[in-house]
Amino acid sequence: MNAITTAVIDLKQLELFAQGDTQVHGRDARVKVLVTLFFILSVISYHRYEINGLLPFTLFPIIMVCRAELPIPYLARKMLLICPFILLIGAFNPLLDRSTLWQVGSIEISGGCISLLSLLLRSFLTIGAALILVATTGFTTICQALERLGMPEVFTVQLLFLHRYLFVLAEEAERASRARELRSCGSTGRGIGSFGSLTGHLLLRTWQRAERIHTTMLSRGFTGQFHGQRRERFSHADLTFLISWSVTFLLMRTMEPATLLGSFITGAFP
Amino acid sequence: MSHHIVEVKNLRHVYADGTVALDTVSFRITHGESVAIIGANGAGKSTLLQHLNGCITATSGEVFIGHIPLTRNTLPAIRRTVGMVFQYPDDQLFMPTVFEDVAFGPRNQGLPEELTAERVREALELVGAAHLASKPPYHLSGGEKKRVAIATVLAMSPDVLVMDEPTSGLDPFARRQLMGLLREFHHTKIFTSHDLDMVLELCPRTIILHEGIIMADGATADIFANDHLLAACRLEKPFALQGCPVCRTSTN
Ligand SMILES: Nc1ncnc2c1ncn2[C@@H]1O[C@H](COP(=O)(O)OP(=O)(O)OP(=O)(O)O)[C@@H](O)[C@H]1O
Ligand SMILES: [Mg+2]
């Protein structure tokens, strides 16, 4: 359980990166949300065997990470954490889909393997883009941007509370499991038996704590709207950012530069 | 201004499990008064304070802030008037950084961003936590959290300051600092505390709560002179009145 809490605390860390002040951080949140959305849509619109076409898309996360000065090891660790889940989803692809798609010398590569690889690539790209969005914008500001883009307020506030609630749950879980560990004197304690009441308590405590937090929020004048740190105005730079990335994604998606490059090379050196 | 009068009439609070936490509590605190509410653990102090800005609803009885009855409609205005510091700072801090957290209140009041930043800086300075501004609240020590929690309320510049055990968990220096700060605050202030020496220094008036009932309400000096009363309420004299522990001489 402690592993989960460290992961969640780590997620809070992600939020802290949003305090940075690079150019990427300064872009209007709505623009970043839209660009990320376009990116994700372009990536997932490929068919399941696509790899070549996806490669140019790695440019976007790389450029964003560099320009926003985000720590690469941290992001890499987050991605690795997600790896097992993707593998779980795609694990059977190589077994089920044995038709040969590629032939490298005498080695035949089955469609299943390709689709697994493609799945991994697509997951990394989309999840990476989402992580970068949070790390350069902050969750509160993203929710605000969504609201200004026309999402009903009820949903954004729900989203925010869910986000906060996750942290509350993790903190309570950590306390409870530490208390249990300390009193079970290094052994596994009463084992699974005590976990029943532990989780029961945990839910109640989380519920109460969330309620108390809500009370303190109300007593500080909370009326159902979160106010983020930046009150942005749409600038020319924002517009350029939006248009240039959207056009790039569109070109990458439709022209398939990797294939173009490939045919150019094979064309040039027959 | 009659703005800062706090009046409680026959307040009764029964929790959902049947615990009677408060029973016909009445008092009136006028503008500029500094009042301590003391009592044993579980006496109902926190419960009482939470009624003062409508965090919980009374089973019966009424609360008036500046002659305005506390109802659903007046709640937002009353919450702007009454600043509340809760017993557990963990419940009060939830934003990604200390700065954001202190800015939460002023932003809700609709202050422009520059003014908010100024207020936040001032409030953090007052509690000696200016150097913590960019830290995440969950990485602070207990006392630091407490100080930031106090700053979150100061930043809203309330007319009535209500604090639940403000000095618990503070180091001696921070405690002194807070006491100085409270002395400077000239509006109405109400707080609970087990720090009876602070009560003696800061509050001319004290209310003793015992098992949900007001046992005494009067001048702090008189109350701490009454040994019977203190013993009956699981309290004792402040150390300042107990005489020197080394030479065993009594001050009175
Ligand atoms: N949510 C609740 N449900 C049921 N009973 C409660 C609840 N909260 C508090 N109580 C009970 O109400 C009584 C008063 O609690 P309260 O928190 O007001 O005490 P307190 O005077 O603040 O004590 P302390 O000095 O320990 O902070 C206690 O007996 C407590 O057990
Ligand atoms: Mg209490």
Side-chain angles (χ1 to χ4, degrees), chain B residues 89-103:
Chain B
D90 270 323
D91 296 341
Q92 211 159 345
L93 308 173
F94 54 88
M95 297 292 276
T97 66
V98 167
F99 182 94
E100 292 293 302
D101 221 305
V102 181

Side-chain angles (χ1 to χ4, degrees), chain B residues 15 17 19 21 40-47 87 165 194:
Chain B
Y15 277 110
D17 64 353
T19 313
N41 289 139
K45 305 181 295 293
S46 300
T47 310
Q87 187 167 3
E165 302 195 17
H194 295 299

